[in-house]
Amino acid sequence: MTEKNKLSPEVKEKLKAEYNKEWRKELRSAIPVKERMKISRQKMPERNPEERNTDFYEVNQGLDEKTARLEAQRCLDCANPQCVLGCPVGIDIPSFVKNIERGDFGASIRSLKSANSLPAICGRVCPQETQCEAVCTVKKATGVSVAIGNLERFIADYEQTKGKVHIPKIPPSTGKKVAVIGAGPAGLTVAGELAKKGHQVTVFEALHVAGGVLVYGIPEFRLPKRILKAEVEYLQKLGVEVRLNFVVGLTATLEDLKKDGYECFFIGTGAGLPNFLRIPGENLIGIYSANEYLTRVNLMRAFDFPEYDTPVFLGKRAVVFGGGNVAMDSVRTAKRLGADMAAILYRRSRTEMPARVEEVHHAEEEGIEFHFLTNPIRFIGDDQGKVKAVECLKMELGEPDSSGRRRPIPIEGSEFIVDIDLAVVAIGNSPNPLIPQTNPDLKVGKWGNVEVDWNTMATSMKGVYAGGDIIRGGATVILAMGDARVAAAEMDRYLRK
Amino acid sequence: MAKIIRREKLVPNIHLIEIESPEVAVKCRPGQFVILMPDEKGERIPLTVADWDREKGTVTAVFMVVGTSTHKLSLLESGSEIPVFVGPLGKASTIEKFGTVLCAGGCFGIGAIYPIARAMKEAGNKVITLLDVKANYLLYWEDRLRAVSDEFFVSSRDNYYDCKDYIPKVLKQVLKDGRKIDRVVSIGCTYLLYTCAEATRPLGIKTIVSLNPVMVDGTGMCGACRVTIGDKTKFACVDGPDFDGHLVKWEELFSRRKSYFHDEIRSLCYWENKVFP
Ligand SMILES: Cc1cc2nc3c(=O)[nH]c(=O)nc-3n(C[C@H](O)[C@H](O)[C@H](O)COP(=O)(O)OP(=O)(O)OC[C@H]3O[C@@H](n4cnc5c(N)ncnc54)[C@H](O)[C@@H]3O)c2cc1C
Ligand SMILES: Cc1cc2nc3c(=O)[nH]c(=O)nc-3n(C[C@H](O)[C@H](O)[C@H](O)COP(=O)(O)OP(=O)(O)OC[C@H]3O[C@@H](n4cnc5c(N)ncnc54)[C@H](O)[C@@H]3O)c2cc1C
Ligand code: SF4
Ligand code: SF4
Ligand code: FES
């Protein structure tokens, strides 16, 4: 389900100009299309499943220079690059890929970063197969797309490890103070963009580490924390101030910040309250929301308990409810923490699972069990109030529902009981309620999401913008970033008025 | 980083900690709490604000030493720093002119009830304060609480003070002369809260309890602090911590608070072996 982007005339023009550059022409004619299409997609080196499912080190090891350049040769440098339309932020993919092919990594990273400020992250966690890679011409022709995500990761990592991170020249200060609320991908992107324009930016973050879901949710084996740390340090070099342990709405309200001289605001507070299944027994001991489970492990480092003080249950028989990335991260974490059985229970079928294909694949390799068309109806506890089993129903697929996916319907009399000692509920979150609660003027939609004008990301309050999961519910890193860039451009305009 | 201005033992096992944090000091109101981490490897632990000084920019909490984090805190000296201090969190207690308000506190809750009693008094209520201690030498802040109370009782299990029985008996004593109590507010261990709620249930007196389920983020993100109120699931860190004591599903709260019983012991032993080899 790819939603194609509409590119602005300026962007189209830029794409064209790059496309027509001499070196691009030369590179295109250096290898015939037919030859390019013969190269097979370069495999991402991965750690062996039996080894990696016992630790938290990164699974994917990254392409080396040679392989990356070979992979880049697979790209046909289309005159009308479909991939760009598939990327929610319209990255000039052929430019950065062709620069890899010719070995000009500096030019590649500059081109990439002009549209995506967090490429090391997006290259790792973007659902490429439903976005840029889904519509790649090479995929249409050969069935296997150019590995755009892997190349994006390669070039971003190259900059962080081998190259020198380029710090752009900051224009003279405008003297305008901007408050960014939430240090997730949305907030960090806005902060970077506005700092580069010469505004004085402060990011306020409730937790004690910046990064949002990228630090407390997505595990180390998929997105090492050092990458995020580098991004935050980069922002600080741009002059961004990061204030941790500061809950806007409670430590200070928007009004208070206005009095302190902040003129423009961005709300990037992300998803809050986790959804639960609303079935009996859900508050038994040993049943977590995915957010709690992952926060204990990732942010509080419960995997290293008792060296770190925060505990987490080490289940031997762990089940996770849900079929998205959050569910995959939870179940693979449970496996790594020593579960003999770690299983996904999903109420629809495999094809409806929203998780990235690569994660599902990795999970299977690591020995995760998948049980589709299965819905829990109650948890059963022991006399200590600890969960010991879950009763489920088998489902079958009926007519498509409003989301276009076939609706699961219970099969009568199909109840069965699974013995478990750990359950994680990963069925989504509702938007964080703190800012709307403390700002009655802020218009929110029926799910509690902050409402914005989608062209400008402006909220109903003057000078207040928003983006990311707080306006979309659970979305993706790249969408959060895309919102942030739109908002930053508008905020800059607003500040200069 | 936040600086500890003062840390001192009030009575055996209960300490006071005063922390420099101008923003929190300006904002905090009775019934709210802060979250802090005693060191980089510690847990995020919630503590109710027991006092504040807006001019000096400091916040005071009173804590009871129970596990690793509170042990670590109790060893910190004045002048040292802690890596995480955030607040004020949760909703403030409802302070209005109710008439006669009974404020009940026990162990760390003697400190935590103080700003509530003070605010209730300032709002024009008649304040009856009732403190519960295990033994006479565990009472602290008596002067401060007396100063904001119209009537003052202490129950202690060693029969030293007015009464050796728990809150219900004192409550009965207070109500004996046909006096009316309009509201009960209570802070302390879960057992104390439960006892208060059960004592007032048959009398139909509105009883607000400040719940202390296990928390992680304290900002409504993780769901660790969920409690059942009536037939609804609420998150104590954003919907509370104050709730109607007659609607709390107590067995669940008691059970969930014990979730990590064995881990907590392991954690404490591990830390003690490291610090006091
Ligand atoms: C486990 C997991 C796995 C995921 N996997 C993927 C994936 O593979 N690919 C993908 O694209 N997306 C994935 N996502 C989704 C993606 O992470 C989110 O869409 C994205 O992080 C949203 O960014 P954001 O900036 O809007 O919010 P968040 O990342 O949620 O950040 C919001 C920040 O704001 C802070 N905050 C909240 N309220 C306040 C306040 N009042 N004051 C100060 N600070 C506040 C929060 O503490 C938080 O740090 C995943 C999500 C999860 C949970
Ligand atoms: C809103 C709120 C306000 C509180 N106010 C105070 C206060 O003013 N003074 C005070 O002494 N205590 C207060 N508590 C309880 C205090 O947070 C715990 O005693 C503390 O976290 C224990 O940490 P520990 O590592 O020393 O003990 P642990 O060994 O971890 O645990 C010992 C006991 O504390 C409880 N506990 C453990 N972790 C948490 C946690 N993260 N959150 C809550 N309880 C936990 C457990 O049920 C256990 O019974 C409050 C709790 C909440 C939720
Ligand atoms: S940001 Fe995501 S969608 Fe865009 S090019 Fe990179 S991987 Fe593809
Ligand atoms: S669609 Fe595929 S082949 Fe064409 S430019 Fe994009 S990545 Fe290259
Ligand atoms: S402590 Fe995490 S939601 Fe309340």
Side-chain angles (χ1 to χ4, degrees), chain A residues 331-346:
Chain A
V331 78
R332 292 170 73 194
T333 297
K335 184 84 199 173
R336 281 163 170 75
L337 291 176
D340 297 325
M341 178 200 71
I344 288 279
L345 301 193
Y346 183 50

Side-chain angles (χ1 to χ4, degrees), chain A residues 243-292:
Chain A
R243 302 244 355 229
L244 302 173
N245 305 310
F246 197 114
V247 190
V248 176
L250 290 169
T251 312
T253 59
L254 286 187
E255 280 311 309
D256 297 327
L257 295 177
K258 265 185 202 161
K259 280 185 208 132
D260 283 345
Y262 290 95
E263 292 177 52
C264 195
F265 299 84
F266 178 80
I267 305 174
T269 49
L273 312 172
N275 297 336
F276 284 94
L277 294 157
R278 296 169 187 262
I279 58 173
E282 196 155 30
N283 293 342
L284 287 166
I285 299 174
I287 304 174
Y288 286 118
S289 78
N291 270 5
E292 179 183 355

Side-chain angles (χ1 to χ4, degrees), chain B residues 17-189:
Chain B
I17 186 167
E18 185 180 358
I19 290 160
E20 187 173 68
S21 178
E23 291 113 6
V24 181
V26 171
K27 279 287 159 182
C28 61
R29 286 179 293 154
Q32 286 186 300
F33 63 97
V34 293
I35 279 190
L36 51 79
M37 261 165 75
D39 62 27
E40 297 288 349
K41 294 186 176 176
E43 269 190 282
R44 291 171 63 95
I45 62 161
L47 298 178
T48 312
V49 295
D51 204 359
W52 51 84
D53 184 331
R54 302 211 206 273
E55 254 118 70
K56 217 165 102 193
T58 65
V59 179
T60 299
V62 170
F63 66 92
M64 186 157 84
V65 178
V66 284
T68 313
S69 299
T70 44
H71 268 93
K72 283 178 173 177
L73 267 190
S74 70
L75 295 182
L76 292 175
E77 296 300 334
S78 307
S80 54
E81 290 195 322
I82 49 174
V84 173
F85 181 79
V86 56
L89 301 170
K91 292 188 169 145
S93 302
T94 311
I95 307 289
E96 276 171 36
K97 182 157 183 198
F98 294 108
T100 303
V101 177
L102 186 132
C103 297
C107 57
F108 73 82
I110 295 176
I113 198 86
Y114 169 67
I116 298 177
R118 181 175 63 188
M120 286 293 186
K121 178 79 190 158
E122 280 165 9
N125 292 292
K126 179 166 186 233
V127 172
I128 305 174
T129 295
L130 166 51
L131 305 181
D132 184 77
V133 289
K134 287 225 168 63
N136 70 71
Y137 58 85
L138 294 176
L139 182 65
Y140 58 96
W141 281 18
E142 181 177 353
D143 309 350
R144 303 186 99 191
L145 277 147
R146 272 190 192 278
V148 296
S149 310
D150 295 280
E151 285 176 56
F152 184 82
F153 300 87
V154 181
S155 67
S156 77
R157 239 53 54 70
D158 60 2
N159 219 359
Y160 185 87
Y161 289 108
D162 313 296
C163 156
K164 95 169 164 58
D165 278 306
Y166 226 46
I167 285 183
K169 200 136 188 198
V170 185
L171 204 66
K172 238 181 240 152
Q173 188 184 322
V174 173
L175 291 169
K176 194 171 57 201
D177 337 315
R179 284 194 308 175
K180 197 165 141 280
I181 291 178
D182 298 288
R183 196 178 184 91
V184 173
V185 187
S186 145
I187 301 199
C189 70

Side-chain angles (χ1 to χ4, degrees), chain A residues 124-127 181-187 204-207 209-214 216-219 222 246-250 268-271 291 294 325-327 329-330 356 359 429 432 434-435 467-470 473-478 480, chain B residues 219:
Chain A
R124 284 177 168 79
V125 305
C126 235
I181 308 161
F204 296 94
E205 168 55 50
L207 292 174
V209 186
V213 168
L214 308 182
Y216 72 71
I218 303 183
R222 219 150 60 81
F246 197 114
V247 190
V248 176
L250 290 169
T269 49
N291 270 5
L294 292 170
N325 289 322
V326 188
D329 285 344
S330 304
R356 294 178 77 227
E359 308 316 330
N429 297 68
N432 195 307
L434 259 174
I435 303 281
D469 281 3
I470 187 71
T476 58
V477 174
I478 189 68
Chain B
T219 65

Side-chain angles (χ1 to χ4, degrees), chain A residues 27 31 36 39 42 63-75 96-105 146 151 154-155 158:
Chain A
L27 207 59
I31 307 173
R36 291 185 187 273
I39 309 169
Q42 299 304 300
L63 301 177
D64 61 25
E65 236 175 279
K66 212 173 111 216
T67 337
R69 290 181 69 177
L70 188 59
E71 179 63 32
Q73 286 181 5
R74 298 183 63 231
C75 166
F96 96 76
V97 171
K98 290 296 121 179
N99 269 313
I100 295 179
E101 181 179 339
R102 72 160 167 168
D104 190 343
F105 299 153
V146 173
L151 289 173
F154 163 78
I155 196 67
Y158 185 90

